[in-house]
Amino acid sequence: GFTQLANREVSLGGALGFGSSRNKSEDPFGSKSTYKSYNIGPTAAIGISGNWMLGMGARYAHGKQTSQSQNNSQSITSFVVEFSFLARKYHSFNKQFGIYAQAGPGVGFGKQTGVSNQSNYYKTDLDFYSVSASPGLYFKPTKKFIVEAIFGELIFTHTITTPENGFKSYSDS
């Protein structure tokens, strides 16, 4: 195949994401909810031999969920900061197109705050550890610029939730 990257070639990249959902029920309680989120995540990696790259990334995510029904309202705001390592292997089909696989561990923390019925306030700390793997496709229109697309991602996350006034809980997803 074609050589995708040179030894010690530096890659700078990142991701920007937005999400939004709205649900409304026609049940007798008239419940409805909205969720909005955004995230930003820069990455930096360096090429090593054999079309491999090793690097690091960071991510900040923020979300807000509101829900309302006949007798209840709730608002939850959360943020998460994550740091990760990555290993990526490229395989080229020609000088401009190819595929890659990426995997790596991550660690992060965050905070979630909520208000229920305008009086019950709570705050929760989040700590998590993760491992992810994803395949991707790339297009290299110029010698210095690469466009990439990830197709699916397999993630395992272990989260430790610590409420302000309560017991820790653990979850895996």
Side-chain angles (χ1 to χ4, degrees):
F2 296 88
T3 302
Q4 167 59 31
L5 31 111
N7 196 18
R8 297 190 184 146
E9 185 174 351
V10 175
S11 168
L12 299 175
L16 182 63
F18 299 94
S20 179
S21 68
R22 188 175 3 184
N23 297 306
K24 186 175 181 179
S25 175
E26 293 182 2
D27 64 24
F29 301 108
S31 62
K32 59 183 176 179
S33 65
T34 60
Y35 180 74
K36 294 182 181 185
S37 66
Y38 68 89
N39 67 72
I40 184 167
T43 59
I46 188 162
I48 58 175
S49 64
N51 286 340
W52 281 92
M53 288 196 107
L54 297 177
M56 295 177 67
R59 182 177 68 98
Y60 173 81
H62 182 271
K64 182 166 185 173
Q65 178 179 348
T66 58
S67 59
Q68 192 172 16
S69 66
Q70 191 176 33
N71 298 322
N72 189 22
S73 66
Q74 184 176 16
S75 177
I76 300 170
T77 303
S78 61
F79 80 88
V80 171
V81 176
E82 178 182 18
F83 300 97
S84 60
F85 293 98
L86 66 94
R88 181 182 284 184
K89 173 71 171 169
Y90 287 92
H91 175 75
S92 57
F93 296 131
N94 58 39
K95 289 183 180 180
Q96 282 129 355
F97 292 97
I99 58 175
Y100 66 89
Q102 177 175 305
V107 62
F109 62 91
K111 200 170 281 302
Q112 190 175 65
T113 57
V115 176
S116 180
N117 290 333
Q118 280 66 38
S119 61
N120 298 328
Y121 176 80
Y122 71 90
K123 184 168 60 172
T124 302
D125 291 328
L126 306 169
D127 296 298
F128 62 91
Y129 309 95
S130 64
V131 177
S132 67
S134 57
L137 177 69
Y138 73 86
F139 169 60
K140 191 173 183 181
T142 69
K143 192 171 184 161
K144 299 277 185 182
F145 188 72
I146 297 176
V147 178
E148 299 176 344
I150 291 176
F151 295 100
E153 188 170 29
L154 182 60
I155 302 173
F156 171 79
T157 304
H158 176 73
T159 305
I160 303 165
T161 305
T162 310
E164 189 175 45
N165 300 326
F167 299 102
K168 286 185 179 183
S169 64
Y170 305 90
S171 65
D172 295 321
S173 59

